[in-house]
């Protein structure tokens, strides 16, 4: 089943227990669109959640953030 799509919304929403993570995924050299950046900024202001912008070059940091 495909999820509901909202323009610019983050690529990943991860939940485990009481932890909630939103992550935008970008390839090297690409930046978030203005709408994507707006989502990241708004979500980043919500207490208790984590927001990330990840690239394939961030693999070690991604593993650390998710462990």
């Amino acid at each position: 089943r495909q999820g509901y799509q909202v323009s610019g919304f983050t690529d990943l929403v991860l939940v485990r227990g009481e932890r909630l993570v939103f992550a935008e995924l970008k390839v090297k050299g690409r930046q978030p669109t203005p709408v994507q950046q707006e989502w990241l900024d708004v979500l980043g202001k919500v207490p208790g959640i984590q927001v990330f912008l990840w690239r394939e070059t961030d693999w070690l940091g991604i593993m650390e953030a998710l462990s």
Side-chain angles (χ1 to χ4, degrees):
R1 177 175 173 205
Q2 291 186 338
Y4 179 74
Q5 300 251 340
V6 176
S7 180
F9 194 71
T10 59
D11 294 314
L12 296 175
V13 179
L14 307 169
V15 178
R16 178 179 278 174
E18 296 180 6
R19 187 171 181 205
L20 178 59
V21 172
F22 292 87
E24 181 62 35
L25 308 175
K26 290 292 175 195
V27 296
K28 185 177 179 182
R30 298 287 307 261
Q31 297 298 320
T33 66
V35 174
Q36 290 171 330
Q37 188 60 57
E38 185 176 349
W39 272 111
L40 294 172
D41 294 343
V42 168
L43 291 168
K45 293 177 184 176
V46 178
I49 68 168
Q50 295 175 291
V51 178
F52 296 96
L53 173 60
W54 286 330
R55 293 180 173 80
E56 70 273 11
T57 56
D58 298 327
W59 187 247
L60 292 177
I62 293 168
M63 296 302 291
E64 183 178 315
L66 296 178
S67 63

